[in-house]
Structures are given as C-alpha cells and as structure tokens.
Amino acid sequence: MLRVVLVVLVVGFAACARAGFHWEKELLCCAAAPGTGKVTARFAFTNTGKTAVKVLDLKSTCGCTVATLERRTFAPGESGEVVAVYSTAGRKGLHEAVLTVKTDDPVEEETRLRLRVLVQEAVVAQPTFLLWEKGEARVSKRVSVQVTDGFGVKGVEAVSATPGVDARLVGSKGGGAYELVVTPGTDAPSKAVVELTAQVPGGKQKPVLVHVRVR
Amino acid sequence: MRGFSREILVLMGAALLPAGAAAWLHPRSPSWISEEVRLEVAGQIGGRVLWVDVRAPEDYAAGHIPGAVGLHGEGWDEGLGQLLDQWTEGRVVVVYCSRRSCQTSHLVARRLREEVGLSDVRVLDGGWEAWKEAHP
C-alpha cells in the first residue's frame, strides 16, 4: 500500500513540475455603469514550467468580447496577460463570455477563462413592447419604470416622438418607481417609439425605448 | 442465485411502480417544456416560427436562416424593431447563435421574455451549426 501511495505522489509531483501557465484568476467579474461602452479585463498568468509554452489559439465564444495577447511564446518564469475587451452595447443584466486559450503545453493544452459582466441601466422599463391588435380598443397601457439605485438619477422623462401616440410618465411616491402610460389615438400610426431618458450627473443617458405597435 | 434473482425482480418491480405513476400523471411532454428546441421540432411549427440570429453582424451577413432577424448587441434597438414588426400572438420566437456561444442565445431569449414581454421564446438546440448540418 505504501508503495502505491509513493508512486502516486511521485507521478503527481512530476506532473506538477511540467505544468505550464499558472493563471492568477480564471474567472473575473466586472460591473459596467450606464453608458459604459466597453469593459476591459486582464487575465494574468506566469509560465511556471521548465519549458517554453506557445499559445496556439485564443478565441472568445462571444462576438461581444475581443481577446488579445501581446506575444505568443513565454519562456519559463515569464509572465503575460490576456486582455479581454467586452462591449456592453445593447446588453443588460449579467453576461458571461468564455475565452479559450490553447497552448502546446502537453499537461494542460486548453484553459477556459470566464469574464462575467453585470451591465446595469439607470432606468429599467418592463415591458418594452406594447401592442394593440386590430379591433382592440385604444385604451391606455402601462409600463413599469424603475430607477436603479446608485446612479444619482435626478429625474426621468418620457417623450413620444410620434404624433398620435400619447405618453405620460406618472411620478412615483418614492423609491424611484414610475408608470409610463401610453395611449394611441385614432390617428396613431402602426409603429411608434417612446423614449425614456434618465437624467444623471454629467448629462443624459442613452434612452430606453418602448416599442409601440398598433395593428 | 435464486435469492439474488428474486431480489433483482423485487427491485425492478419497485422501480416500475413510480415509473408507471409518472407516465400516467405526466404523459409524453412536448419539447417546449425546456427552453431549447430541436431543429426538427421547430420545422414542424413551420411558418409560425420567427427566427432570431444573435451572432456577430459579420457572421449574420455571411449567412443566416432564411428570414431570420439579426439581433446584435450594438444593433439591438433596430433589430428588435424589425422583430416586433413581424411578431404576432401565437408566433414562436426561436433564438440561435453559434454552438460555441450558446450562452448569448439564452440571455437574449430571457430578455425577450422578461423585458420585452414576448410570450413564447425558445433557443435552437445546436445553434447555427445544427441548421447548417441539416441544410448543407
């Protein structure tokens, strides 16, 4: 039994001695504030092995993330970092991008790095689609609008750029909760958009759109 | 040996009881119970399916399921507008991406259900690659 344990220990330590990249972290988490176009994360690593390691391929599973490496071959003891740039455009909530790093290290050929990004909006509306079917009475419909804490939102405004569609924001009694009341008139076009814009320190945020369809 | 066979039979019988109850209480369920839908099931739905492609714009431009609306990060508002132009109650939205990035399709599907309020949104099992394999 002792011999078996010794063999396992020797094999195990031998495998460790041949290990290539040691990653500081394989999972990074970021939060993106409203209006942030891109988020940059850096996955640092060191070649702790006894031989040089070459990065053969670096890919992201998501078109939202571009990953780069300044060079491909790292000698023993050398360090580097994979720089991942995540685009927040059009995204909301929690997202995860996976980066696959393939090397010529026979012990660990592939490593999957994960980047989690929480994209927050200053204002959240639900639902963002209002539909009046053909023949349906043109009564008002409501959208719940909630201001997200922590962004210093001073106010929210609702604008209907389409004549024939009325949009009113009913103020909250506290807690940053509003209601958007949308009413299509008899002359309303089939398609309209209501823009909800939050006023934050430094200006206005990109508006949240509520899509209106009247069939 | 005889005793062992008897034990096997007793165990099988015991397993059959709950299995039978489950089959009686929950007859064969459609694949819609899961968010993911296989290509052949989507094909049975036919014209009611609204395809949504959430791959990168250049991938969409290179080829997509006929009639699919492109819904990409940066073009979200425009793409959503096009999707809503076609959506009616009763249509089934099926979101797909590359098999390599299927997390995006699930996130977009959830967003279409929870934020936009569409009633029936699914994700294509196997993504774009499943379509390509079925339509070489």
PDB file of all heavy atoms in Angstrom, chain B residues 17-46:
ATOM      1  N   LEU B  17     -43.079   0.802 -10.333  1.00  0.00           N
ATOM      2  CA  LEU B  17     -44.239   1.462  -9.717  1.00  0.00           C
ATOM      3  C   LEU B  17     -44.184   2.981  -9.891  1.00  0.00           C
ATOM      4  O   LEU B  17     -45.112   3.571 -10.454  1.00  0.00           O
ATOM      5  CB  LEU B  17     -44.313   1.108  -8.231  1.00  0.00           C
ATOM      6  CG  LEU B  17     -45.018  -0.229  -7.915  1.00  0.00           C
ATOM      7  CD1 LEU B  17     -44.882  -0.552  -6.446  1.00  0.00           C
ATOM      8  CD2 LEU B  17     -46.474  -0.180  -8.343  1.00  0.00           C
ATOM      9  N   PRO B  18     -43.119   3.664  -9.457  1.00  0.00           N
ATOM     10  CA  PRO B  18     -43.074   5.124  -9.649  1.00  0.00           C
ATOM     11  C   PRO B  18     -42.972   5.511 -11.111  1.00  0.00           C
ATOM     12  O   PRO B  18     -43.501   6.542 -11.526  1.00  0.00           O
ATOM     13  CB  PRO B  18     -41.821   5.566  -8.867  1.00  0.00           C
ATOM     14  CG  PRO B  18     -41.015   4.338  -8.682  1.00  0.00           C
ATOM     15  CD  PRO B  18     -41.960   3.185  -8.670  1.00  0.00           C
ATOM     16  N   ALA B  19     -42.325   4.651 -11.919  1.00  0.00           N
ATOM     17  CA  ALA B  19     -42.220   4.966 -13.353  1.00  0.00           C
ATOM     18  C   ALA B  19     -43.597   4.962 -13.993  1.00  0.00           C
ATOM     19  O   ALA B  19     -43.946   5.819 -14.801  1.00  0.00           O
ATOM     20  CB  ALA B  19     -41.306   3.962 -14.036  1.00  0.00           C
ATOM     21  N   GLY B  20     -44.392   3.978 -13.606  1.00  0.00           N
ATOM     22  CA  GLY B  20     -45.753   3.900 -14.135  1.00  0.00           C
ATOM     23  C   GLY B  20     -46.588   5.087 -13.692  1.00  0.00           C
ATOM     24  O   GLY B  20     -47.357   5.660 -14.465  1.00  0.00           O
ATOM     25  N   ALA B  21     -46.428   5.460 -12.430  1.00  0.00           N
ATOM     26  CA  ALA B  21     -47.176   6.603 -11.913  1.00  0.00           C
ATOM     27  C   ALA B  21     -46.793   7.872 -12.657  1.00  0.00           C
ATOM     28  O   ALA B  21     -47.643   8.694 -13.008  1.00  0.00           O
ATOM     29  CB  ALA B  21     -46.911   6.760 -10.414  1.00  0.00           C
ATOM     30  N   ALA B  22     -45.501   8.038 -12.914  1.00  0.00           N
ATOM     31  CA  ALA B  22     -45.015   9.229 -13.617  1.00  0.00           C
ATOM     32  C   ALA B  22     -45.578   9.272 -15.032  1.00  0.00           C
ATOM     33  O   ALA B  22     -46.017  10.308 -15.522  1.00  0.00           O
ATOM     34  CB  ALA B  22     -43.489   9.248 -13.645  1.00  0.00           C
ATOM     35  N   ALA B  23     -45.594   8.107 -15.688  1.00  0.00           N
ATOM     36  CA  ALA B  23     -46.096   8.069 -17.067  1.00  0.00           C
ATOM     37  C   ALA B  23     -47.584   8.387 -17.104  1.00  0.00           C
ATOM     38  O   ALA B  23     -48.074   9.039 -18.026  1.00  0.00           O
ATOM     39  CB  ALA B  23     -45.835   6.695 -17.662  1.00  0.00           C
ATOM     40  N   TRP B  24     -48.295   7.968 -16.086  1.00  0.00           N
ATOM     41  CA  TRP B  24     -49.742   8.210 -16.042  1.00  0.00           C
ATOM     42  C   TRP B  24     -50.043   9.666 -15.719  1.00  0.00           C
ATOM     43  O   TRP B  24     -50.884  10.297 -16.353  1.00  0.00           O
ATOM     44  CB  TRP B  24     -50.368   7.285 -14.994  1.00  0.00           C
ATOM     45  CG  TRP B  24     -51.840   7.474 -14.845  1.00  0.00           C
ATOM     46  CD1 TRP B  24     -52.781   7.310 -15.815  1.00  0.00           C
ATOM     47  CD2 TRP B  24     -52.535   7.870 -13.658  1.00  0.00           C
ATOM     48  NE1 TRP B  24     -54.039   7.577 -15.307  1.00  0.00           N
ATOM     49  CE2 TRP B  24     -53.916   7.918 -13.983  1.00  0.00           C
ATOM     50  CE3 TRP B  24     -52.142   8.158 -12.345  1.00  0.00           C
ATOM     51  CZ2 TRP B  24     -54.890   8.257 -13.044  1.00  0.00           C
ATOM     52  CZ3 TRP B  24     -53.122   8.503 -11.423  1.00  0.00           C
ATOM     53  CH2 TRP B  24     -54.486   8.557 -11.774  1.00  0.00           C
ATOM     54  N   LEU B  25     -49.288  10.222 -14.763  1.00  0.00           N
ATOM     55  CA  LEU B  25     -49.531  11.599 -14.347  1.00  0.00           C
ATOM     56  C   LEU B  25     -48.969  12.601 -15.346  1.00  0.00           C
ATOM     57  O   LEU B  25     -49.502  13.692 -15.514  1.00  0.00           O
ATOM     58  CB  LEU B  25     -48.888  11.854 -12.973  1.00  0.00           C
ATOM     59  CG  LEU B  25     -49.588  11.181 -11.794  1.00  0.00           C
ATOM     60  CD1 LEU B  25     -48.737  11.283 -10.543  1.00  0.00           C
ATOM     61  CD2 LEU B  25     -50.954  11.792 -11.549  1.00  0.00           C
ATOM     62  N   HIS B  26     -47.864  12.236 -15.992  1.00  0.00           N
ATOM     63  CA  HIS B  26     -47.207  13.161 -16.916  1.00  0.00           C
ATOM     64  C   HIS B  26     -47.013  12.468 -18.248  1.00  0.00           C
ATOM     65  O   HIS B  26     -45.942  11.963 -18.536  1.00  0.00           O
ATOM     66  CB  HIS B  26     -45.833  13.586 -16.369  1.00  0.00           C
ATOM     67  CG  HIS B  26     -45.905  14.184 -15.021  1.00  0.00           C
ATOM     68  ND1 HIS B  26     -46.390  15.436 -14.786  1.00  0.00           N
ATOM     69  CD2 HIS B  26     -45.568  13.681 -13.805  1.00  0.00           C
ATOM     70  CE1 HIS B  26     -46.353  15.680 -13.496  1.00  0.00           C
ATOM     71  NE2 HIS B  26     -45.866  14.644 -12.870  1.00  0.00           N
ATOM     72  N   PRO B  27     -48.064  12.446 -19.066  1.00  0.00           N
ATOM     73  CA  PRO B  27     -47.908  11.809 -20.380  1.00  0.00           C
ATOM     74  C   PRO B  27     -46.883  12.538 -21.200  1.00  0.00           C
ATOM     75  O   PRO B  27     -46.523  13.660 -20.886  1.00  0.00           O
ATOM     76  CB  PRO B  27     -49.307  11.910 -21.000  1.00  0.00           C
ATOM     77  CG  PRO B  27     -50.013  12.960 -20.225  1.00  0.00           C
ATOM     78  CD  PRO B  27     -49.384  12.996 -18.855  1.00  0.00           C
ATOM     79  N   ARG B  28     -46.485  11.929 -22.267  1.00  0.00           N
ATOM     80  CA  ARG B  28     -45.359  12.418 -23.063  1.00  0.00           C
ATOM     81  C   ARG B  28     -45.405  13.933 -23.243  1.00  0.00           C
ATOM     82  O   ARG B  28     -46.340  14.497 -23.801  1.00  0.00           O
ATOM     83  CB  ARG B  28     -45.402  11.741 -24.420  1.00  0.00           C
ATOM     84  CG  ARG B  28     -44.113  11.838 -25.171  1.00  0.00           C
ATOM     85  CD  ARG B  28     -44.156  10.933 -26.356  1.00  0.00           C
ATOM     86  NE  ARG B  28     -43.630  11.606 -27.506  1.00  0.00           N
ATOM     87  CZ  ARG B  28     -43.797  11.218 -28.745  1.00  0.00           C
ATOM     88  NH1 ARG B  28     -44.534  10.168 -28.999  1.00  0.00           N
ATOM     89  NH2 ARG B  28     -43.262  11.865 -29.741  1.00  0.00           N
ATOM     90  N   SER B  29     -44.381  14.626 -22.743  1.00  0.00           N
ATOM     91  CA  SER B  29     -44.377  16.078 -22.741  1.00  0.00           C
ATOM     92  C   SER B  29     -43.765  16.594 -24.026  1.00  0.00           C
ATOM     93  O   SER B  29     -42.842  15.988 -24.556  1.00  0.00           O
ATOM     94  CB  SER B  29     -43.535  16.600 -21.583  1.00  0.00           C
ATOM     95  OG  SER B  29     -43.953  16.035 -20.381  1.00  0.00           O
ATOM     96  N   PRO B  30     -44.276  17.730 -24.531  1.00  0.00           N
ATOM     97  CA  PRO B  30     -43.651  18.307 -25.724  1.00  0.00           C
ATOM     98  C   PRO B  30     -42.292  18.872 -25.371  1.00  0.00           C
ATOM     99  O   PRO B  30     -42.013  19.154 -24.220  1.00  0.00           O
ATOM    100  CB  PRO B  30     -44.614  19.449 -26.116  1.00  0.00           C
ATOM    101  CG  PRO B  30     -45.290  19.807 -24.845  1.00  0.00           C
ATOM    102  CD  PRO B  30     -45.382  18.549 -24.051  1.00  0.00           C
ATOM    103  N   SER B  31     -41.439  19.042 -26.385  1.00  0.00           N
ATOM    104  CA  SER B  31     -40.098  19.535 -26.103  1.00  0.00           C
ATOM    105  C   SER B  31     -40.119  21.004 -25.717  1.00  0.00           C
ATOM    106  O   SER B  31     -39.101  21.558 -25.370  1.00  0.00           O
ATOM    107  CB  SER B  31     -39.204  19.330 -27.322  1.00  0.00           C
ATOM    108  OG  SER B  31     -39.714  20.085 -28.401  1.00  0.00           O
ATOM    109  N   TRP B  32     -41.303  21.671 -25.764  1.00  0.00           N
ATOM    110  CA  TRP B  32     -41.353  23.079 -25.395  1.00  0.00           C
ATOM    111  C   TRP B  32     -41.147  23.284 -23.905  1.00  0.00           C
ATOM    112  O   TRP B  32     -40.967  24.395 -23.456  1.00  0.00           O
ATOM    113  CB  TRP B  32     -42.700  23.696 -25.784  1.00  0.00           C
ATOM    114  CG  TRP B  32     -42.994  23.603 -27.223  1.00  0.00           C
ATOM    115  CD1 TRP B  32     -43.927  22.821 -27.824  1.00  0.00           C
ATOM    116  CD2 TRP B  32     -42.336  24.305 -28.272  1.00  0.00           C
ATOM    117  NE1 TRP B  32     -43.898  23.019 -29.182  1.00  0.00           N
ATOM    118  CE2 TRP B  32     -42.939  23.910 -29.474  1.00  0.00           C
ATOM    119  CE3 TRP B  32     -41.300  25.243 -28.317  1.00  0.00           C
ATOM    120  CZ2 TRP B  32     -42.543  24.414 -30.710  1.00  0.00           C
ATOM    121  CZ3 TRP B  32     -40.910  25.739 -29.536  1.00  0.00           C
ATOM    122  CH2 TRP B  32     -41.527  25.325 -30.713  1.00  0.00           C
ATOM    123  N   ILE B  33     -41.293  22.236 -23.094  1.00  0.00           N
ATOM    124  CA  ILE B  33     -41.138  22.389 -21.655  1.00  0.00           C
ATOM    125  C   ILE B  33     -39.758  22.945 -21.347  1.00  0.00           C
ATOM    126  O   ILE B  33     -39.585  23.790 -20.510  1.00  0.00           O
ATOM    127  CB  ILE B  33     -41.355  21.042 -20.928  1.00  0.00           C
ATOM    128  CG1 ILE B  33     -42.760  20.519 -21.186  1.00  0.00           C
ATOM    129  CG2 ILE B  33     -41.078  21.198 -19.447  1.00  0.00           C
ATOM    130  CD1 ILE B  33     -43.863  21.438 -20.703  1.00  0.00           C
ATOM    131  N   SER B  34     -38.753  22.475 -22.074  1.00  0.00           N
ATOM    132  CA  SER B  34     -37.418  23.028 -21.933  1.00  0.00           C
ATOM    133  C   SER B  34     -37.330  24.250 -22.825  1.00  0.00           C
ATOM    134  O   SER B  34     -38.048  24.371 -23.807  1.00  0.00           O
ATOM    135  CB  SER B  34     -36.408  21.968 -22.378  1.00  0.00           C
ATOM    136  OG  SER B  34     -35.199  22.587 -22.725  1.00  0.00           O
ATOM    137  N   GLU B  35     -36.438  25.200 -22.500  1.00  0.00           N
ATOM    138  CA  GLU B  35     -36.267  26.389 -23.324  1.00  0.00           C
ATOM    139  C   GLU B  35     -35.724  26.006 -24.696  1.00  0.00           C
ATOM    140  O   GLU B  35     -35.993  26.672 -25.681  1.00  0.00           O
ATOM    141  CB  GLU B  35     -35.310  27.357 -22.628  1.00  0.00           C
ATOM    142  CG  GLU B  35     -35.067  28.621 -23.392  1.00  0.00           C
ATOM    143  CD  GLU B  35     -34.099  29.542 -22.703  1.00  0.00           C
ATOM    144  OE1 GLU B  35     -32.932  29.133 -22.508  1.00  0.00           O
ATOM    145  OE2 GLU B  35     -34.494  30.660 -22.372  1.00  0.00           O
ATOM    146  N   GLU B  36     -34.959  24.919 -24.757  1.00  0.00           N
ATOM    147  CA  GLU B  36     -34.323  24.549 -26.014  1.00  0.00           C
ATOM    148  C   GLU B  36     -35.273  23.729 -26.884  1.00  0.00           C
ATOM    149  O   GLU B  36     -36.059  22.936 -26.386  1.00  0.00           O
ATOM    150  CB  GLU B  36     -33.043  23.760 -25.741  1.00  0.00           C
ATOM    151  CG  GLU B  36     -31.966  24.639 -25.127  1.00  0.00           C
ATOM    152  CD  GLU B  36     -30.589  24.025 -25.184  1.00  0.00           C
ATOM    153  OE1 GLU B  36     -30.498  22.802 -25.402  1.00  0.00           O
ATOM    154  OE2 GLU B  36     -29.610  24.761 -25.008  1.00  0.00           O
ATOM    155  N   VAL B  37     -35.149  23.946 -28.160  1.00  0.00           N
ATOM    156  CA  VAL B  37     -35.997  23.222 -29.105  1.00  0.00           C
ATOM    157  C   VAL B  37     -35.122  22.658 -30.204  1.00  0.00           C
ATOM    158  O   VAL B  37     -34.189  23.319 -30.670  1.00  0.00           O
ATOM    159  CB  VAL B  37     -37.103  24.149 -29.670  1.00  0.00           C
ATOM    160  CG1 VAL B  37     -36.512  25.341 -30.416  1.00  0.00           C
ATOM    161  CG2 VAL B  37     -38.043  23.386 -30.573  1.00  0.00           C
ATOM    162  N   ARG B  38     -35.373  21.425 -30.595  1.00  0.00           N
ATOM    163  CA  ARG B  38     -34.594  20.808 -31.679  1.00  0.00           C
ATOM    164  C   ARG B  38     -35.069  21.336 -33.022  1.00  0.00           C
ATOM    165  O   ARG B  38     -36.238  21.718 -33.167  1.00  0.00           O
ATOM    166  CB  ARG B  38     -34.708  19.294 -31.625  1.00  0.00           C
ATOM    167  CG  ARG B  38     -34.014  18.667 -30.402  1.00  0.00           C
ATOM    168  CD  ARG B  38     -33.911  17.153 -30.549  1.00  0.00           C
ATOM    169  NE  ARG B  38     -35.169  16.552 -30.951  1.00  0.00           N
ATOM    170  CZ  ARG B  38     -36.132  16.191 -30.120  1.00  0.00           C
ATOM    171  NH1 ARG B  38     -35.988  16.389 -28.824  1.00  0.00           N
ATOM    172  NH2 ARG B  38     -37.239  15.639 -30.563  1.00  0.00           N
ATOM    173  N   LEU B  39     -34.184  21.290 -33.975  1.00  0.00           N
ATOM    174  CA  LEU B  39     -34.480  21.831 -35.304  1.00  0.00           C
ATOM    175  C   LEU B  39     -35.693  21.147 -35.921  1.00  0.00           C
ATOM    176  O   LEU B  39     -36.557  21.811 -36.515  1.00  0.00           O
ATOM    177  CB  LEU B  39     -33.251  21.663 -36.198  1.00  0.00           C
ATOM    178  CG  LEU B  39     -33.339  22.309 -37.581  1.00  0.00           C
ATOM    179  CD1 LEU B  39     -33.511  23.812 -37.469  1.00  0.00           C
ATOM    180  CD2 LEU B  39     -32.094  21.989 -38.401  1.00  0.00           C
ATOM    181  N   GLU B  40     -35.797  19.833 -35.767  1.00  0.00           N
ATOM    182  CA  GLU B  40     -36.918  19.135 -36.416  1.00  0.00           C
ATOM    183  C   GLU B  40     -38.252  19.524 -35.791  1.00  0.00           C
ATOM    184  O   GLU B  40     -39.273  19.582 -36.462  1.00  0.00           O
ATOM    185  CB  GLU B  40     -36.714  17.612 -36.373  1.00  0.00           C
ATOM    186  CG  GLU B  40     -36.459  17.034 -35.005  1.00  0.00           C
ATOM    187  CD  GLU B  40     -34.982  16.931 -34.668  1.00  0.00           C
ATOM    188  OE1 GLU B  40     -34.196  17.757 -35.177  1.00  0.00           O
ATOM    189  OE2 GLU B  40     -34.621  16.043 -33.885  1.00  0.00           O
ATOM    190  N   VAL B  41     -38.248  19.818 -34.499  1.00  0.00           N
ATOM    191  CA  VAL B  41     -39.485  20.256 -33.848  1.00  0.00           C
ATOM    192  C   VAL B  41     -39.856  21.653 -34.340  1.00  0.00           C
ATOM    193  O   VAL B  41     -41.024  21.932 -34.628  1.00  0.00           O
ATOM    194  CB  VAL B  41     -39.325  20.240 -32.314  1.00  0.00           C
ATOM    195  CG1 VAL B  41     -40.574  20.794 -31.651  1.00  0.00           C
ATOM    196  CG2 VAL B  41     -39.044  18.821 -31.828  1.00  0.00           C
ATOM    197  N   ALA B  42     -38.863  22.531 -34.448  1.00  0.00           N
ATOM    198  CA  ALA B  42     -39.128  23.876 -34.969  1.00  0.00           C
ATOM    199  C   ALA B  42     -39.669  23.785 -36.392  1.00  0.00           C
ATOM    200  O   ALA B  42     -40.551  24.550 -36.784  1.00  0.00           O
ATOM    201  CB  ALA B  42     -37.849  24.718 -34.930  1.00  0.00           C
ATOM    202  N   GLY B  43     -39.161  22.819 -37.155  1.00  0.00           N
ATOM    203  CA  GLY B  43     -39.638  22.644 -38.527  1.00  0.00           C
ATOM    204  C   GLY B  43     -41.109  22.259 -38.574  1.00  0.00           C
ATOM    205  O   GLY B  43     -41.843  22.641 -39.482  1.00  0.00           O
ATOM    206  N   GLN B  44     -41.564  21.505 -37.585  1.00  0.00           N
ATOM    207  CA  GLN B  44     -42.975  21.108 -37.530  1.00  0.00           C
ATOM    208  C   GLN B  44     -43.884  22.304 -37.270  1.00  0.00           C
ATOM    209  O   GLN B  44     -45.042  22.307 -37.660  1.00  0.00           O
ATOM    210  CB  GLN B  44     -43.178  20.053 -36.435  1.00  0.00           C
ATOM    211  CG  GLN B  44     -42.547  18.704 -36.765  1.00  0.00           C
ATOM    212  CD  GLN B  44     -42.410  17.807 -35.554  1.00  0.00           C
ATOM    213  OE1 GLN B  44     -42.969  18.087 -34.491  1.00  0.00           O
ATOM    214  NE2 GLN B  44     -41.661  16.726 -35.702  1.00  0.00           N
ATOM    215  N   ILE B  45     -43.353  23.306 -36.602  1.00  0.00           N
ATOM    216  CA  ILE B  45     -44.132  24.515 -36.331  1.00  0.00           C
ATOM    217  C   ILE B  45     -44.293  25.322 -37.609  1.00  0.00           C
ATOM    218  O   ILE B  45     -45.278  26.022 -37.811  1.00  0.00           O
ATOM    219  CB  ILE B  45     -43.446  25.359 -35.245  1.00  0.00           C
ATOM    220  CG1 ILE B  45     -43.345  24.561 -33.947  1.00  0.00           C
ATOM    221  CG2 ILE B  45     -44.185  26.667 -35.019  1.00  0.00           C
ATOM    222  CD1 ILE B  45     -44.683  24.164 -33.380  1.00  0.00           C
ATOM    223  N   GLY B  46     -43.309  25.210 -38.486  1.00  0.00           N
ATOM    224  CA  GLY B  46     -43.416  25.832 -39.805  1.00  0.00           C
ATOM    225  C   GLY B  46     -43.423  27.340 -39.774  1.00  0.00           C
ATOM    226  O   GLY B  46     -42.579  27.971 -39.150  1.00  0.00           O
TER     227      GLY B  46
END
